[in-house]
Amino acid sequence: MQSFIQYTPTEIVFGPGVESQTAQLVKKHGGTKVLVVYGTGSIEKSGLLGKITDQLASEGIPHLMHGGATPNPHLSFARAGVKAAIAFGVDFILAIGGGSAIDAAKAVAHGTKNPEIDIWKFWLREEPLTKSLPIGVVLTISAAGSETSNSAVLTNTEEGLKRGLNTDFNRPAFAIMNPELTYTLPRFQISCGITDIMMHTLDRYFSPEANEGKVNEMTDEIAESLLRVVIKNGPLVLQNPEDYQAQSEIMWCGSLSHNGICGLGRTMDFSVHQLGHELGGSFDVAHGASLTTMWGSWARYCLDVNPARFARYARKVWGVTQNDDYTAAKEGIEKTVEYFKSIDMPTCFTELGIGIQSDEVLEQLSYSCVHFGKRLVGSFKPLKKEDIFAIYKAANK
Ligand code: NZQ
Ligand code: ZN
């Protein structure tokens, strides 16, 4: 077995009605003055925001609101949050919502604890992050896994750049997970969530260790069963968003897919995420949709790196019975793409709604994806700019 570090410090409180424990958990984790970070209106409409601020008030916890985190949260929103949090003197950040509110909250936590440093420098790796404030989460969508992950993704709209920062300071102190809070999700967001959860698992499953035969069997089995559970329950929640059992399974898979357990002992690939982030930064498309747009093209391009790995995925996750690895692998890839289509997710640029792009735009996306010549992308097959161009080109239809 390959060596690993597993660090998942987040206290998870899961079940119906658990959001009633929010103020107590803030106190338990040291919060005495709180900035509440949230999105663009869904929690006001559902009444969740009011319920939580009432709790904070009745526990005597002063709090300030910072609403308006958009999908692909903007650096400018996070910077404004830092300013407000410092002025109010907060010692705790509470996020209510999905990946966008949570990631913005993480950025505010880092900026508030480091007032002398502009937060974007952490995302550009120009400054090391050595301290932050604690963050709590009330989750309203099963998707990004940010409620337990070590990651936070921001979009710098001035530069058209979407960038992630991985650090254990991004691990929330607690996450409140009530699947009932997801009942109000629009169908498209449910599908985006299902596919993002699959991608967090697949972007770890296809790893260089797998190519060298250094596989952690338990890690593989966890990943494969998680994928099967998501694939089975996805259509059930789309059919009936108030199916508590199915929503619960999806919500828990969302955290497990991205808290690290699906990647123990291996190097993460995440090239599909990087390809998708470029689309998010340039076209402001939903994260899950950017991933399904790219996965089929990436998989077909990388199949030859390790057909046996794709074949294992096909057999264990999709029940493919072909004996020949190459044939099984191809069938697994096409079954995945068909599944995306069956839940109304895009699998190419026109389905994503951005239209056919010129080679010049594909060049720009590819160059930005390799951080302007500073890196290769991914580890299963480390991708050069030319590889990335070819993958974008295949999705450009
Ligand atoms: O703006 P609000 O009102 O919150 O509405 C949101 C938004 O329009 C809505 N929504 C959320 N919960 C709802 C709801 N609508 C009705 N009822 C509810 N219960 O859904 C829309 C999407 O919300 P968002 O927070 O953007 O979704 P998601 O969780 O998919 O987050 C996406 C962001 O997370 C980043 C993505 O890149 C993207 O910026 N990611 C963060 C990761 C991490 N920190 O670990 C990992 C991921 O790979 C991902 O990159
Ligand atoms: Zn993702």
Side-chain angles (χ1 to χ4, degrees):
M1 195 187 251
Q2 298 298 295
S3 308
F4 60 83
I5 295 172
Q6 163 77 336
Y7 179 66
T8 44
T10 306
E11 179 177 0
I12 292 165
V13 185
F14 193 107
V18 289
E19 66 278 15
S20 64
Q21 300 173 39
T22 307
Q24 290 157 19
L25 281 161
V26 168
K27 272 193 169 169
K28 179 177 169 183
H29 288 276
T32 63
K33 218 170 189 192
V34 175
L35 186 79
V36 182
V37 179
Y38 56 99
T40 57
S42 65
I43 61 163
E44 283 152 314
K45 206 163 140 198
S46 68
L48 178 62
L49 181 62
K51 275 191 206 159
I52 289 182
T53 52
D54 285 353
Q55 269 180 50
L56 292 170
S58 62
E59 289 286 338
I61 302 172
H63 51 278
L64 181 70
M65 300 297 153
H66 188 56
T70 53
N72 302 323
H74 295 175
L75 171 63
S76 55
F77 174 80
R79 279 185 179 140
V82 172
K83 224 171 159 183
I86 291 171
F88 195 61
V90 311
D91 56 15
F92 195 95
I93 313 292
L94 178 65
I96 312 176
S100 298
I102 302 168
D103 288 3
K106 291 175 177 179
V108 173
H110 305 335
T112 307
K113 193 72 178 178
N114 299 278
E116 69 290 355
I117 302 172
D118 175 49
I119 47 175
W120 191 238
K121 292 193 180 219
F122 297 129
W123 267 256
L124 292 180
R125 281 83 173 147
E126 287 175 5
E127 291 282 349
L129 183 68
T130 55
K131 56 189 192 289
S132 188
L133 288 184
I135 313 145
V137 171
V138 180
L139 187 66
T140 65
I141 171 172
S142 313
S146 187
E147 66 277 7
T148 55
S149 80
N150 70 345
S151 172
V153 187
L154 282 185
T155 296
N156 180 334
T157 46
E158 286 157 29
E159 297 178 29
L161 294 180
K162 184 171 175 177
R163 294 285 183 257
L165 172 70
N166 288 1
T167 159
D168 279 329
F169 290 109
N170 279 331
R171 305 263 189 199
F174 69 78
I176 288 178
M177 297 169 60
N178 172 4
E180 292 172 339
L181 298 180
T182 65
Y183 289 175
T184 50
L185 276 168
R187 185 183 167 84
F188 175 65
Q189 289 300 338
I190 294 176
S191 291
C192 281
I194 292 164
T195 51
D196 195 17
I197 295 166
M198 290 173 69
M199 287 302 137
H200 293 152
T201 316
L202 290 171
D203 266 344
R204 290 174 166 91
Y205 190 81
F206 292 99
S207 67
E209 287 78 9
N211 300 342
E212 294 157 20
K214 297 176 187 164
V215 170
N216 282 18
E217 192 178 334
M218 194 62 219
T219 302
D220 274 346
E221 294 285 345
I222 290 171
E224 288 152 358
S225 60
L226 189 147
L227 285 162
R228 288 196 302 271
V229 170
V230 174
I231 289 163
K232 175 186 154 204
N233 285 282
L236 299 180
V237 293
L238 286 168
Q239 201 181 329
N240 175 15
E242 301 200 8
D243 181 339
Y244 180 83
Q245 178 62 33
Q247 289 283 23
S248 311
E249 300 294 351
I250 297 280
M251 185 173 254
W252 186 222
C253 285
S255 292
L256 293 182
S257 73
H258 204 32
N259 74 356
I261 200 166
C262 287
L264 298 181
R266 54 175 73 144
T267 315
M268 293 199 294
D269 180 65
F270 269 71
S271 43
V272 176
H273 265 75
Q274 302 307 317
L275 292 160
H277 283 345
E278 293 310 320
L279 299 180
S282 291
F283 302 102
D284 198 22
V285 290
H287 174 63
S290 75
L291 302 176
T292 55
T293 295
M294 296 314 307
W295 192 82
S297 298
W298 170 85
R300 291 181 200 110
Y301 191 80
C302 295
L303 167 58
D304 287 341
V305 172
N306 189 348
R309 187 66 174 165
F310 279 98
R312 177 181 165 130
Y313 162 68
R315 293 182 185 120
K316 299 278 278 189
V317 175
W318 293 103
V320 169
T321 54
Q322 299 284 353
N323 286 327
D324 173 59
D325 275 359
Y326 204 79
T327 315
K330 286 213 295 204
E331 195 173 323
I333 292 171
E334 296 319 316
K335 276 189 184 292
T336 310
V337 172
E338 283 311 310
Y339 182 79
F340 295 155
K341 288 186 178 169
S342 75
I343 58 170
D344 303 326
M345 292 307 284
T347 58
C348 62
F349 281 14
T350 51
E351 289 172 11
L352 182 64
I354 63 173
I356 306 274
Q357 298 297 317
S358 66
D359 280 0
E360 199 187 341
V361 170
L362 302 187
E363 273 287 336
Q364 281 163 7
L365 290 170
S366 311
Y367 191 42
S368 177
C369 199
V370 293
H371 289 185
F372 313 107
K374 288 196 208 121
R375 67 164 186 174
L376 298 177
V377 171
S379 55
F380 179 70
K381 174 178 171 61
L383 302 170
K384 299 196 275 286
K385 192 182 113 204
E386 295 70 27
D387 299 308
I388 292 167
F389 181 87
I391 296 170
Y392 279 133
K393 187 94 176 159
N396 191 26
K397 54 186 180 190

